[in-house]
Amino acid sequence: MSSQMPVSEAYSACVLSCPDTCAYVVTVENGRVVRVRGDPRHPYTLGRCCPKGYPHVLRTYHQHRLRHPLSRNETGNFVRIAWDEALDETAEWMREAKKRYGPQSVGIYSGSGNDGMPPRLAARFANAFGCRMMPGIVEICFEGPYEGARSNVGPFPPHELSDCVDSQCIVIWGTDKFESSLHTKQVIQQAIDRGAKLIVMDPRRTPHAKMADTYTTIRPGTDAALALGIANEIIRRDLYDHDFVNKHVLVFEEYRTRAAEYDKERVSEITWVEPDTIEKIAVAFATHGPALTATAPAGMNHYTNGTWAARTVHSLLADGVEEPCLRQNASGHSETSWSEAWATG
Ligand code: SF4
């Protein structure tokens, strides 16, 4: 009788720190994962994974992967210890710190590279212990723009990324969706194939920049000024949706007054974007809808004014030419995406 276990398939998802959470079909042979491929049945990731996803097999069994606890000995070198010993030692240190200094003296850091269940379970553990999770990738990199967007509109209404296929004007603002967002790239391409205009603002000449109808570089860190300049052009030319503004926008007059300080010549000096280009972007955005603004929670957020830059870009919503959407990831969670904004105009 053969001692070999049968080949089987299991269903999983990519756990890297990436919101796409690609759905996987995992082939297991003799108790070992031998292949990972995208699950074509998933409606969002459609069987496509990026080059970071496919090598999960190598990552899992790599000889340098840490698979057991290590402890530093008297000579300063790491030596392998048993799991029980490591857990007892850690528990003792945490108990002692809690007794002497209180639970908040302990910090738990989950790092990045694994955005699956472990950080969530660690957060629940921290909650039960009474300490806090130390800021991780989400808090450091993403929370600023999320907060900026939430300040404008509160919780986001649901919207499928796939709806964005119907967009007629796509503004890619400071992000490389071509090389870093496999599934958004797909949707953008489908919209372009249906005749959508493509506008790209980016200090780098990205692949999407090369195929854009309008491309401009921008002085890094000046996104808020550009957003106000675009808003000013839309309002000045009376291209905004009055009905939407009357029904849904608070303090629009204050917003109009503030935006009016950012005429295209002044904005050009601040941002290095040509005045004609600012005008062209504003007109296309407001008149060639439905429009989609694709940004990222990184990029413009990595400046001291990042949260406000994100809020200002998101404020183009106040002109009634866009509304935010939710993106559904492969694990079925809904994640707020302040960045993919869907226009009604
Ligand atoms: S796109 Fe994101 S979720 Fe999909 S395989 Fe790559 S890293 Fe993983």
Side-chain angles (χ1 to χ4, degrees):
M1 194 174 75
S2 167
S3 61
Q4 290 218 322
M5 293 168 71
V7 176
S8 62
E9 286 195 331
Y11 299 96
S12 187
C14 179
V15 295
L16 298 178
S17 297
C18 169
D20 287 29
T21 328
C22 289
Y24 281 162
V25 179
V26 178
T27 308
V28 182
E29 207 175 303
N30 296 321
R32 274 177 79 91
V33 174
V34 293
R35 188 180 174 210
V36 164
R37 63 189 163 88
D39 187 344
R41 298 167 313 159
H42 194 275
Y44 175 45
T45 58
L46 296 168
R48 296 192 187 97
C49 304
C50 80
K52 286 185 293 181
Y54 290 117
H56 263 306
V57 182
L58 300 176
R59 183 180 188 245
T60 303
Y61 298 114
H62 196 277
Q63 57 171 327
H64 292 142
R65 186 167 185 200
L66 188 59
R67 292 186 212 161
H68 44 72
L70 300 174
S71 179
R72 209 182 282 281
N73 64 14
E74 323 73 64
T75 59
N77 295 317
F78 279 118
V79 290
R80 182 174 176 171
I81 58 171
W83 278 102
D84 280 349
E85 192 183 346
L87 292 171
D88 286 348
E89 211 170 86
T90 307
E92 186 47 40
W93 286 343
M94 289 179 71
R95 261 197 300 265
E96 188 59 23
K98 188 176 186 176
K99 196 166 81 187
R100 282 200 202 182
Y101 310 109
Q104 294 280 336
S105 64
V106 177
I108 297 179
Y109 180 63
S110 72
S112 63
N114 186 336
D115 202 23
M117 284 308 287
R120 273 83 198 168
L121 294 173
R124 179 67 190 98
F125 174 75
N127 177 266
F129 185 81
C131 66
R132 286 176 192 274
M133 291 288 286
M134 289 164 71
I137 182 171
V138 170
E139 291 78 8
I140 292 169
C141 296
F142 302 164
E143 199 49 37
Y146 286 157
E147 191 52 37
R150 280 195 294 264
S151 303
N152 280 10
V153 295
F156 289 67
H159 220 304
E160 291 287 346
L161 183 63
S162 54
D163 288 346
C164 300
V165 169
D166 296 323
S167 173
Q168 281 299 299
C169 178
I170 296 171
V171 182
I172 301 180
W173 195 318
T175 176
D176 184 356
K177 296 292 182 203
F178 194 95
E179 289 176 323
S180 67
S181 193
L182 181 69
H183 305 104
T184 310
K185 168 187 159 184
Q186 244 169 255
V187 173
I188 288 173
Q189 190 55 52
Q190 286 169 24
I192 291 170
D193 292 344
R194 292 183 184 195
K197 278 183 187 294
L198 181 63
I199 297 169
V200 176
M201 283 102 94
D202 203 305
R204 303 154 303 170
R205 198 166 165 78
T206 61
H208 272 138
K210 289 178 191 158
M211 64 171 83
D213 295 289
T214 303
Y215 163 63
T216 179
T217 55
I218 175 172
R219 182 183 177 191
T222 63
D223 305 86
L226 182 57
L228 283 167
I230 292 170
N232 180 47
E233 280 301 312
I234 292 172
I235 296 169
R236 190 177 70 80
R237 291 164 174 268
D238 199 15
L239 298 175
Y240 65 95
D241 183 338
H242 289 248
D243 193 41
F244 177 90
V245 167
N246 291 337
K247 280 191 191 142
H248 304 292
V249 179
L250 300 172
V251 295
F252 185 75
E253 283 313 311
E254 285 86 339
Y255 176 58
R256 179 207 295 272
T257 305
R258 183 71 169 139
E261 294 170 22
Y262 288 83
D263 61 76
K264 59 187 179 196
E265 284 75 24
R266 182 182 174 208
V267 172
S268 182
E269 275 174 32
I270 298 170
T271 64
W272 303 342
V273 178
E274 291 295 327
D276 286 355
T277 307
I278 296 167
E279 201 175 85
K280 205 168 156 187
I281 292 169
V283 172
F285 190 60
T287 62
H288 207 266
L292 164 78
T293 304
T295 70
M300 75 175 76
N301 183 44
H302 290 178
Y303 291 86
T304 50
N305 64 356
T307 299
W308 286 96
R311 189 170 184 187
T312 315
V313 170
H314 200 267
S315 291
L316 290 170
L317 167 69
D319 303 319
V321 295
E322 58 171 334
E323 67 182 34
C325 71
L326 274 173
R327 190 162 57 166
Q328 194 82 12
N329 67 17
S331 61
H333 305 311
S334 290
E335 82 153 11
T336 48
S337 173
W338 69 275
S339 53
E340 272 97 22
W342 175 247
T344 55

